[in-house]
Amino acid sequence: MMKTAMEKLVVVGAGITGASSAALLKKILPDGAVVKILDKSRGTGGRMSTSRCSNGKSATVDLGAQYISINLHYAKVHQSIHEELISQGLLKASTCVMEGDKFGGEDILHYVAPAGISSLVKHFVKQAGAEVAYEEHVTKVDIENKKVKLTTLKGQEELCDGVILTMPVPQILQLDGSIRQLIDSQPKVKENLENVSYSMRFAVGLFYDPGVTLSYPWAVKYFRDNPCVCYIAIDDKKRGTESDSVGPSVVIHTSVPFGMKHLEEDKDSVKDIIMKHVKELLPDIPEPAEVKGHKWRYSQIHKSYVNEPGCVVLSQTPPIILAGDAFSHSNLDGCLTSSSSVRDAFINCTGLDQPTNRL
């Protein structure tokens, strides 16, 4: 196969799949090739986001993914990447008390991210040497003269030799441009994309000033019977990073049924309802210095793309590849599986050499 010229690759989505795909593809791209990541948010992480309080006096809080659970299968499959993250201090084995753990088991080990869960995504972005452009919402994808042209909500245009789209599937289906014809021309692919569904939930972060003590015997607790709250964590305690000079932080996640019930409401209108339930569950919890709410419209995969292929190639020339947990499953290893599939599909599309150091 003749190699395809590949001077610029764009990844849409600065979450873990986008970042790890960029890192893997950088290894096989020609010297001098540019990797650029576009994201509509204001920071790196996607659903692995870490939030900071406005005054900097409190610990950061993970509003999305909370910790990394690795089973024996993926401990072998992704051993090298796990070891890399652990050796660099980005992951460490969890030693905190988890009450009502829903994801435990003899074959599962939990890991925490001491610097916040978004540090994992930032690690891959750095590996990729990628330029990241924030607050760039891609709305249109076209093919012009064997190149891909991306147009953002601001009217910015990016011309590239290939694109990896890692945003949630409903957002892919909303894109304008020739990508619509590509999807329409593949009825089975379109049907499978339309059948993908996500759960939805709200999250709330509580930030406290230094000197405040949260006297609970656990760092993480699941609540099975509450109509609103399903999970509360003292984030700095969960990570093992408590400090006298920095105030503690707490994260609350709602249940999926609560999220679906309040689907059309915004994060601020629901925040007071959530806090009411928190105070019923933890009557002695101190008043926080700051409260941040977040709405995860696409929290976790409820129904994945059929057979979980890892990625879907919409176009080979130029490469347009769909990826993310929708094509695998919603955890770190699901996203790494997707990015490995992207790498293999990209090699097949372009004829670029396969790297010797596989994920």
Side-chain angles (χ1 to χ4, degrees):
M1 179 188 294
M2 183 178 296
K3 291 186 180 181
T4 303
M6 192 59 55
E7 297 176 354
K8 184 177 183 179
L9 172 74
V10 172
V11 177
V12 180
I16 190 67
T17 304
S20 56
S21 294
L24 284 177
L25 292 173
K26 181 64 174 178
K27 295 177 181 179
I28 61 173
L29 289 172
D31 290 343
V34 173
V35 177
K36 187 168 185 177
I37 300 175
L38 303 179
D39 198 281
K40 69 175 186 176
S41 71
R42 290 182 292 176
T44 303
R47 282 169 281 166
M48 285 189 167
S49 74
T50 302
S51 184
R52 187 177 301 277
C53 66
S54 58
N55 62 21
K57 294 180 179 179
S58 302
T60 57
V61 68
D62 293 326
L63 289 178
Q66 292 295 297
Y67 49 87
I68 303 301
S69 299
I70 302 173
N71 64 27
L72 292 178
H73 169 71
Y74 283 113
K76 294 178 180 177
V77 173
H78 295 150
Q79 180 179 1
S80 62
I81 192 67
H82 294 157
E83 288 179 350
E84 178 183 338
L85 295 172
I86 292 167
S87 68
Q88 296 196 22
L90 296 169
L91 280 183
K92 70 174 183 179
S94 172
T95 57
C96 73
V97 176
M98 296 185 181
E99 288 192 5
D101 175 17
K102 295 201 303 183
F103 304 102
E106 292 183 0
D107 69 333
I108 293 178
L109 293 175
H110 297 315
Y111 292 83
V112 293
I117 204 75
S118 68
S119 64
L120 307 185
V121 184
K122 292 173 182 176
H123 167 77
F124 289 113
V125 171
K126 184 178 180 180
Q127 275 195 337
E131 174 189 349
V132 186
Y134 299 113
E135 297 186 88
E136 292 292 354
H137 183 181
V138 173
T139 57
K140 191 176 181 183
V141 179
D142 287 300
I143 295 177
E144 292 186 359
N145 300 319
K146 295 186 178 180
K147 288 187 177 283
V148 184
K149 186 174 79 172
L150 307 173
T151 307
T152 72
L153 192 60
K154 297 175 181 177
Q156 297 289 330
E157 293 182 351
E158 288 281 350
L159 199 63
C160 59
D161 300 295
V163 66
I164 315 299
L165 301 173
T166 70
M167 67 266 262
V169 167
Q171 294 177 359
I172 292 172
L173 291 170
Q174 292 168 5
L175 291 169
D176 290 325
S178 51
I179 191 171
R180 285 199 174 186
Q181 286 75 51
L182 274 176
I183 294 173
D184 288 342
S185 69
Q186 303 173 64
K188 195 62 183 176
V189 170
K190 182 178 181 181
E191 179 186 353
N192 291 336
L193 290 173
E194 290 174 339
N195 285 335
V196 171
S197 61
Y198 296 75
S199 62
M200 182 267 167
R201 69 176 78 239
F202 292 90
V204 174
L206 310 181
F207 298 95
Y208 292 91
D209 289 332
V212 173
T213 301
L214 301 176
S215 301
Y216 300 103
W218 44 265
V220 170
K221 185 167 183 175
Y222 287 89
F223 298 86
R224 299 178 185 275
D225 301 321
N226 189 272
C228 172
V229 174
C230 76
Y231 172 94
I232 299 178
I234 304 169
D235 232 28
D236 52 318
K237 189 175 182 179
K238 176 192 75 181
R239 302 180 203 167
T241 56
E242 302 102 313
S243 169
D244 291 337
S245 61
V246 178
S249 62
V250 172
V251 62
I252 301 110
H253 279 182
T254 68
S255 65
V256 171
F258 178 89
M260 297 307 295
K261 180 181 177 181
H262 297 273
L263 179 64
E264 301 306 324
E265 298 178 52
D266 63 41
K267 62 183 181 181
D268 292 322
S269 64
V270 173
K271 193 163 57 178
D272 289 343
I273 301 172
I274 298 170
M275 289 307 299
K276 179 177 179 292
H277 284 274
V278 170
K279 289 173 182 176
E280 289 172 355
L281 291 168
L282 306 175
D284 56 346
I285 191 168
E287 285 295 321
E290 187 175 343
V291 180
K292 281 189 179 181
H294 192 89
K295 180 178 181 178
W296 292 111
R297 178 63 184 84
Y298 304 106
S299 174
Q300 290 178 305
I301 290 297
H302 176 255
K303 185 179 180 182
S304 61
Y305 191 98
V306 65
N307 296 328
E308 298 185 356
C311 70
V312 167
V313 178
L314 281 185
S315 166
Q316 286 208 328
T317 309
I320 299 177
I321 302 175
L322 313 182
D325 58 349
F327 304 93
S328 53
H329 50 276
S330 292
N331 60 19
L332 172 65
D333 287 298
C335 294
L336 294 178
T337 296
S338 181
S339 58
S340 294
S341 298
V342 166
R343 185 254 331 270
D344 294 343
F346 194 81
I347 290 169
N348 186 55
C349 289
T350 62
L352 292 170
D353 292 335
Q354 189 151 340
T356 55
N357 50 335
R358 294 178 59 84
L359 181 69

